[in-house]
Amino acid sequence: MALLASSSVVAPRAAELEPIVPGRDYHTLANTDEFRLRHLKLELQVLFEPRILSGIADLTLERLQPTARQVRLDTRDLTIRHVWWVGNTGELVALPFQKGAYDRTLGTPLEIDLPAGLNAAEFKLRVSYQTRPDASGLQWVPAAQTAGKTDPYLYSQSQAINARSWVPLQDSPQVRFTYEATIHVPVGLRAVMSAANNPQLAPDGVYHFDMPQAIPSYLLALGVGKLEFQAIGPRTGVYAEPPVLAAAAAEFADVEKMLETSEQLFGAYRWGRYDLLILPPSFPFGGMENPRLSFITPTVIAGDRSLVALIAHELAHSWSGNLVTNSTWRDLWLNEGVTVFLERRILQALYGQRRHDMEDALGLQDLRTDIADLPPADTVLAIDLRGRNPDDVFSDVPYEKGRLFLGWLESRFGRAEFDAFLRGYFDHFAFQSISTEQFRAWLEQNLIAERPGVVSAAEIDAWLYRPGLPPSAVLPHSTAFAAVDRARHEWLAGKRSAASLPGKEWTTNEWLHFLNHFPQRTVRTRLSELDDAFGLTTTGNNEIAHSWLRIAIRNEYTPAYERLASYLETIGRRKLIKPLYEDLMKTPAGAARAAAIYARARGNYHPIAVATLDRIVYGRKDAQVTR
Ligand code: BES
Ligand code: ZN
């Protein structure tokens, strides 16, 4: 997952900047110290033809600074029509506003001047606005790229800093607000949000939402399409297009059990329902933990439930991330690393040690690749992202290094003690946003101080502030993979035939390990022998296909080229397509093929994926998510 590992935008060197102020959000232009968004009320029309959301946002703001006279909101590429102050009886007073200086990473602040007499501790502003067709946080998917092919699909992806491209607000993970929304969609389509969803279809195309739990803006989410609902358990279910609904419900049948297991491990689930929304294959991520409704790539519907770690992951964010939130993107490891730790605990409880160990070992392999490819400064948990878009610096470091940090603490203090610590942590910081330093202080007071000498401050600081992996890390190991390594070795050495490999018994994880450790070059006849025995080119498992296609590219195994093209033209999940384009770009013939495929596929990809791939295929170092 070393996205943009080697070719990321030029970052200002940390040494040239001021020291980082922990907890200060460098990715907002809003004046969150002077005013705080407390409640958001949206009324939006979803216009598929011009690809525009149009309507109003009512923002209830708390005044923190009695003398402040200007509210600054985050926007990116929004067209602002009017701004009003909304009086207690609903009267509207037009307010002067202007756009501040545009920043290519952060967007454009909307500056609203308040009337001199407006000193209330809480007040309401109304912004009338519309989005642009190329909004970085929205993807307008044409009917042809959906499962049903009959209706278009719209979905949002707000994390990390894209909520500002579809709602004017304080786009910072340390600002939490409740929200309600009225969404108008074409009759026959359904709107869903990261809020209370009504499984009934609205005959007039008007949907109302209420989100009583306060969330940060990156968890604001909307999906619109030809969607139906199928229940899985009492608190769980799936929204999907009719052609994928049954397959999705079967694939994710364990989600209710996952929810119960998570509650036993980490404490009560505080969000009411937990549903899944299946997105079109162009979704640039595997999943997104939008509260009450995780957004999920269809590429994990493998038919055998082998890729459901993703669901455990997004569900686990209901504790780490959605309940206790990173206060800035520098602290992303508090979301992702803690979540991977919880995810693996869920897998272990539900599917056993062997499965757990394999997932863990694969995670470590990905981490090692990233540590080898990334500049050392970007392998630090508390990463310096100033001047960069967090989306462009996405890697496995916050995930797997964060997971190893917690695993190391657990190994020192013991599972029972560490579990108790984690539960206390979720309770104490519930519905708050915290920095790495707040985590560190809490750890110090609630775990380390009680058992002096078990870990040292220097060890903790090495984990948080130093590159690479500390020598004391407890590294995962899978005995299942040792057997796979032996089989690969014997086959490559000509000691056994492909047909004699135990591939039919291998799980997805064993296959991934088998394929991910091929030598740089493999004789093509051996590849076709393997392909004949196991049908790798035509596998319906997109992760296995990804690993196989990488081998095919390296060895110019032409029978897989057609699949490669159709794979890249239908799937937009960045983790699965980025390495394929990178591999293709390594030879002139591959680069030509990449350019031809990309010319056809680019229009199907999400703006986030386009930003990454433009750099790889067109070599545009300056490409940004925004234009
Ligand atoms: N919250 C992330 C996705 C994300 C992170 C989007 C940072 C934008 C910025 C989500 O929970 C996630 O981690 N998805 C992974 C899933 C995997 C680790 C199981 C993905 O999409 O690959
Ligand atoms: Zn995550």
Side-chain angles (χ1 to χ4, degrees):
M1 223 202 274
L3 297 162
L4 280 185
S6 42
S7 59
S8 64
V9 272
V10 185
R13 287 223 309 280
E16 295 165 8
L17 294 166
E18 302 285 305
I20 287 191
V21 180
R24 171 162 165 202
D25 185 358
Y26 293 91
H27 291 95
T28 180
L29 297 168
N31 53 341
T32 59
D33 290 343
E34 298 184 319
F35 301 96
R36 278 278 158 144
L37 177 61
R38 292 300 178 207
H39 185 74
L40 171 71
K41 186 173 171 194
L42 290 174
E43 171 128 21
L44 294 173
Q45 306 273 346
V46 178
L47 305 169
F48 277 99
E49 217 20 87
R51 300 189 166 192
I52 280 171
L53 297 181
S54 178
I56 54 174
D58 283 349
L59 296 95
T60 304
L61 293 160
E62 184 188 339
R63 170 186 283 285
L64 305 181
Q65 241 322 314
T67 55
R69 292 263 62 92
Q70 189 182 69
V71 172
R72 280 193 302 283
L73 301 177
D74 286 302
T75 76
R76 180 188 288 152
D77 297 337
L78 293 182
T79 304
I80 308 294
R81 289 183 292 244
H82 303 282
V83 179
W84 295 280
W85 170 73
V86 187
N88 292 340
T89 54
E91 75 271 26
L92 298 178
V93 176
L95 297 182
F97 65 90
Q98 65 271 333
K99 287 184 162 186
Y102 166 75
D103 179 291
R104 65 203 308 272
T105 306
L106 304 181
T108 310
L110 169 61
E111 302 169 349
I112 303 165
D113 298 319
L114 299 179
L118 180 51
N119 295 317
E122 197 172 277
F123 59 94
K124 208 186 280 181
L125 298 182
R126 171 166 299 175
V127 182
S128 162
Y129 74 101
Q130 66 183 47
T131 62
R132 289 234 306 250
D134 57 353
S136 63
L138 299 175
Q139 193 180 17
W140 299 87
V141 183
Q145 260 85 59
T146 64
K149 313 269 182 235
T150 54
D151 295 275
Y153 199 129
L154 162 72
Y155 67 88
S156 67
Q157 169 58 39
S158 297
Q159 196 183 12
I161 54 172
N162 296 307
R164 65 193 68 179
S165 76
W166 64 285
V167 182
L169 40 56
Q170 295 183 327
D171 197 6
S172 169
Q174 44 195 267
V175 175
R176 303 183 87 95
F177 53 91
T178 52
Y179 79 86
E180 62 196 293
T182 302
I183 308 289
H184 301 253
V185 305
V187 169
L189 298 193
R190 178 200 295 274
V192 289
M193 291 192 83
S194 52
N197 286 290
N198 182 351
Q200 301 304 316
L201 197 72
D204 56 357
V206 184
Y207 290 84
H208 299 284
F209 301 93
D210 196 27
M211 184 53 175
Q213 290 107 345
I215 59 158
S217 56
Y218 78 90
L219 296 175
L220 189 66
L222 169 68
V224 180
K226 181 111 192 121
L227 299 170
E228 281 177 13
F229 175 75
Q230 186 169 328
I232 293 177
R235 280 184 294 173
T236 52
V238 57
Y239 290 91
E241 291 185 75
V244 293
L245 185 63
E251 195 80 22
F252 307 131
D254 283 348
V255 65
E256 185 79 27
K257 261 195 292 181
M258 284 184 176
L259 179 53
E260 287 163 7
T261 304
S262 308
E263 287 193 302
Q264 279 155 23
L265 290 170
F266 322 125
Y269 178 75
R270 308 207 195 195
W271 304 91
R273 292 193 56 85
Y274 182 71
D275 295 317
L276 306 172
L277 171 67
I278 310 304
L279 295 179
S282 60
F283 182 47
F285 294 101
M288 177 64 214
E289 66 271 27
N290 298 315
R292 296 176 178 225
L293 182 69
S294 286
F295 284 21
I296 301 295
T297 174
T299 62
V300 291
I301 304 177
D304 60 2
R305 303 184 186 176
S306 62
L307 300 175
V308 296
L310 174 80
I311 308 298
H313 179 94
E314 304 312 336
L315 171 63
H317 272 305
S318 306
W319 287 263
S320 42
N322 300 3
L323 198 56
V324 183
T325 306
N326 52 212
S327 73
T328 77
W329 299 114
R330 164 183 182 255
D331 311 301
L332 179 69
W333 75 272
L334 283 174
N335 278 16
E336 299 302 342
V338 180
T339 293
V340 173
F341 183 81
L342 303 189
E343 166 203 333
R344 302 265 156 81
R345 293 292 305 279
I346 298 170
L347 293 178
Q348 182 180 38
L350 273 179
Y351 306 118
Q353 190 67 31
R354 187 180 143 93
R355 170 74 177 273
H356 166 273
D357 291 351
M358 289 195 284
E359 298 272 349
D360 236 13
L362 285 170
L364 175 62
Q365 287 164 19
D366 291 343
L367 176 62
R368 286 202 190 284
T369 308
D370 275 6
I371 288 180
D373 289 351
L374 287 165
D378 286 350
T379 70
V380 169
L381 278 184
I383 186 176
D384 184 359
L385 292 172
R386 287 176 295 177
R388 296 188 286 177
N389 187 327
D391 287 342
D392 294 345
V393 199
F394 195 72
S395 87
D396 270 316
V397 169
Y399 289 78
E400 298 294 341
K401 185 175 174 182
R403 134 82 188 96
L404 291 177
F405 174 39
L406 294 210
W408 172 80
L409 286 170
E410 184 193 45
S411 79
R412 293 289 178 95
F413 290 95
R415 174 156 287 188
E417 202 159 323
F418 192 63
D419 274 2
F421 165 78
L422 272 183
R423 278 169 173 263
Y425 165 74
F426 292 135
D427 272 346
H428 182 79
F429 291 111
F431 297 104
Q432 295 180 44
S433 303
I434 65 164
S435 64
T436 297
E437 287 64 28
Q438 283 170 287
F439 176 88
R440 192 187 184 290
W442 179 257
L443 183 70
E444 182 74 49
Q445 288 152 20
N446 293 279
L447 195 64
I448 299 176
E450 287 167 19
R451 297 263 309 273
V454 175
V455 299
S456 72
E459 285 175 307
I460 301 287
D461 287 343
W463 275 105
L464 298 177
Y465 304 116
R466 302 273 277 275
L469 267 184
S472 62
V474 183
L475 299 180
H477 172 75
S478 157
T479 47
F481 286 168
V484 173
D485 284 332
R486 262 196 315 279
R488 185 195 322 96
H489 188 75
E490 288 166 10
W491 172 65
L492 283 171
K495 290 187 187 144
R496 65 192 293 179
S497 68
S500 80
L501 291 169
K504 296 250 150 57
E505 287 124 55
W506 280 343
T507 60
T508 294
N509 288 334
E510 284 160 303
W511 267 108
L512 292 176
H513 182 79
F514 179 74
L515 296 170
N516 291 347
H517 293 269
F518 268 44
Q520 196 53 31
R521 294 260 163 255
T522 313
V523 184
R524 281 196 286 269
T525 50
R526 315 271 11 235
L527 296 180
S528 45
E529 189 197 333
L530 193 68
D531 205 5
D532 289 346
F534 300 106
L536 290 166
T537 297
T538 54
T539 175
N541 186 309
N542 289 302
E543 302 245 4
I544 293 178
H546 167 258
S547 294
W548 173 245
L549 290 171
R550 294 196 70 177
I551 295 171
I553 293 169
R554 284 210 300 274
N555 295 287
E556 294 174 37
Y557 177 66
T558 51
Y561 281 8
E562 223 179 279
R563 174 81 199 270
L564 174 66
S566 68
Y567 189 95
L568 291 172
E569 282 167 42
T570 50
I571 293 175
R573 185 176 169 192
R574 203 165 53 162
K575 171 188 154 184
L576 295 181
I577 60 175
K578 177 181 178 262
L580 297 176
Y581 279 108
E582 282 175 334
D583 290 351
L584 282 168
M585 293 306 291
K586 286 178 183 158
T587 66
R593 191 164 325 108
I597 294 172
Y598 191 51
R600 290 194 297 273
R602 191 174 183 271
N604 303 343
Y605 293 148
H606 187 283
I608 289 176
V610 167
T612 301
L613 297 172
D614 274 3
R615 269 185 291 257
I616 294 167
V617 181
Y618 300 152
R620 280 179 44 197
K621 296 254 183 298
D622 62 331
Q624 286 274 315
V625 169
T626 181
R627 302 175 329 136

